[in-house]
Amino acid sequence: MPANKAFSELERAAVYRAIAERRDVRRGFLSRPLPDELLQRLLAAAHSAPSVGLMQPSRFIVIRDLAKRRAVHDIFKEANAKAAAIYEGAQGDQYAALKLEGILEAPQNICIVCDTQNERGHKLGRQTMPETAAYSTVCAVQNLWLAARAEEVGVGWVSILDPIRLRAILEIPDHILPVAYLCVGYVDQFASQPELERSGWEKRVPLETAVSYDTYSEGSKS
């Protein structure tokens, strides 16, 4: 396909649909692993994400071994217990009822990390904002997430983990930054709303409260 060929109306609609229907999936994973060719497509989508200076700092650790996933799940349980202690009363009960991971249910997990010291790109764009290396890896996460949704594959991001212990389990070197631990797999369904919205934990804010022009404005509607 020529690079300058315009997207059709249906193709544009599919992109926006994937964005609108992307979900952070924590439940309903099926036990069937992804076929290798599908997994490679998702990883290729992530690898093609924009990166500052074309440094491509993202690395992908695919975890299918059950013992490894159980070890990560133990980290989650301890971190989650500490997090739960922050909330009290009705909010504490609500937090305890939330399903916040699918580490063991999903047949494969993917840890996406960032080589922040990668010399590719010759540090272009990182002189004043070195954190853009990690931002580049976040773009890779989003690429994988949207491609997965288009492939009817669920993805859930688990951030309730002790990164030091995660490094030890996955043998991640000190100079490599863990960015995202993802539960990935086929699911029985995609929810019509994000789970935290559906459960009443938080509400979305309208776009006009997040947009301002020329200068920053808190809660702007202009």
Side-chain angles (χ1 to χ4, degrees), residues 4-185:
N4 61 350
K5 182 178 180 180
F7 284 80
S8 70
E9 184 176 350
L10 287 177
E11 289 169 333
R12 291 196 302 273
V15 172
Y16 284 104
R17 179 189 168 192
I19 293 170
E21 296 186 11
R22 182 208 57 80
R23 293 289 177 265
D24 191 355
V25 178
R26 292 90 175 271
R27 65 179 79 243
F29 284 104
L30 306 181
S31 60
R32 176 165 52 105
L34 300 184
D36 286 341
E37 60 270 21
L38 173 54
L39 178 60
Q40 291 302 312
R41 285 203 300 274
L42 300 183
L43 294 175
H47 187 61
S48 66
S51 62
V52 61
L54 196 58
M55 71 178 294
Q56 293 184 292
S58 303
R59 306 291 181 263
F60 310 95
I61 308 169
V62 179
I63 307 126
R64 284 177 167 163
D65 180 73
L66 183 57
K68 288 281 188 185
R69 289 186 285 128
R70 281 176 173 160
V72 174
H73 189 251
D74 287 342
I75 298 175
F76 165 80
K77 288 191 295 184
E78 291 186 24
N80 192 50
K82 291 179 181 178
I86 297 172
Y87 305 103
E88 299 178 346
Q91 191 176 43
D93 294 338
Q94 188 180 23
Y95 183 90
L98 294 173
K99 180 78 164 67
L100 297 174
E101 52 77 37
I103 296 168
L104 299 180
E105 295 90 339
Q108 57 270 301
N109 299 170
I110 301 175
C111 186
I112 303 184
V113 302
C114 177
D115 182 357
T116 59
Q117 297 179 14
N118 184 355
E119 292 298 325
R120 280 186 51 82
H122 313 290
K123 297 187 178 181
L124 189 154
R126 286 182 280 159
Q127 302 292 342
T128 52
M129 296 184 69
E131 62 271 21
T132 51
Y135 298 165
S136 299
T137 295
V138 173
C139 289
V141 176
Q142 182 76 332
N143 264 26
L144 185 147
W145 218 331
L146 293 176
R149 181 62 188 88
E151 297 274 10
E152 297 293 297
V153 171
V155 175
W157 188 331
V158 185
S159 59
I160 308 172
L161 294 170
D162 180 338
I164 295 176
R165 293 181 61 191
L166 183 66
R167 283 181 181 277
I169 290 171
L170 300 182
E171 301 179 18
I172 300 171
D174 290 342
H175 70 283
I176 301 295
L177 175 69
V179 174
Y181 192 92
L182 307 176
C183 307
V184 182

